[in-house]
Amino acid sequence: MLIPAGTRQTFLVNNWVTSFDVSTMVEATEGQVVVERAMYGGGGAWATDSIGATAAAAEWYLAEGCTEGGMQTYVLVQNPTGVDARVDLTFNTGTDEISPPNCRGCSYRPVPARPSWSTTG
């Protein structure tokens, strides 16, 4: 799955898992990525998000998520590096490990370097 430069890929965990307890593992088999988890509930009345990251990495572990009780969990993957990345997503519940075929070996284009802007001068 390709992602155009400067964008991210969003995975709705609800498409593969129905559970009050969901954790996610994201492994970059080539390159490195930045990953976050966003969760929404109450028809969008509230939300929670994983903490920010300062660098790309090859492995990410997202400890909390929920796809039952009207909640939605998203895993967002961005490639901020200059080389292509491939990732595998695995969802873990209290009873299963789910690794959907369409979430394995996803390919991500690199994000180009962004220009720096100066406010002086």
Side-chain angles (χ1 to χ4, degrees):
M1 183 178 307
L2 290 174
I3 295 180
T7 64
R8 68 173 186 222
Q9 179 65 44
T10 302
F11 297 89
L12 177 60
V13 179
N14 299 57
N15 290 339
W16 299 283
V17 178
T18 303
S19 176
F20 279 106
D21 300 307
V22 181
S23 64
T24 305
M25 178 175 58
V26 179
E27 295 177 283
T29 57
E30 295 176 25
Q32 295 187 336
V33 294
V34 174
V35 177
E36 71 173 297
R37 187 261 316 137
M39 191 168 65
Y40 300 88
W46 62 266
T48 181
D49 192 30
S50 58
I51 60 172
T54 59
E59 293 182 340
W60 292 88
Y61 301 94
L62 307 171
E64 183 181 15
C66 181
T67 58
E68 283 191 310
M71 293 181 235
Q72 294 180 310
T73 296
Y74 296 86
V75 173
L76 305 98
V77 180
Q78 180 187 22
N79 178 3
T81 71
V83 297
D84 289 349
R86 287 191 179 277
V87 300
D88 294 339
L89 276 72
T90 303
F91 307 111
N92 295 288
T93 68
T95 58
D96 292 315
E97 182 175 285
I98 301 160
S99 187
N102 56 340
C103 291
R104 301 202 59 78
C106 301
S107 180
Y108 296 87
R109 284 190 193 146
V111 176
R114 294 194 175 137
S116 60
W117 298 94
S118 174
T119 57
T120 61

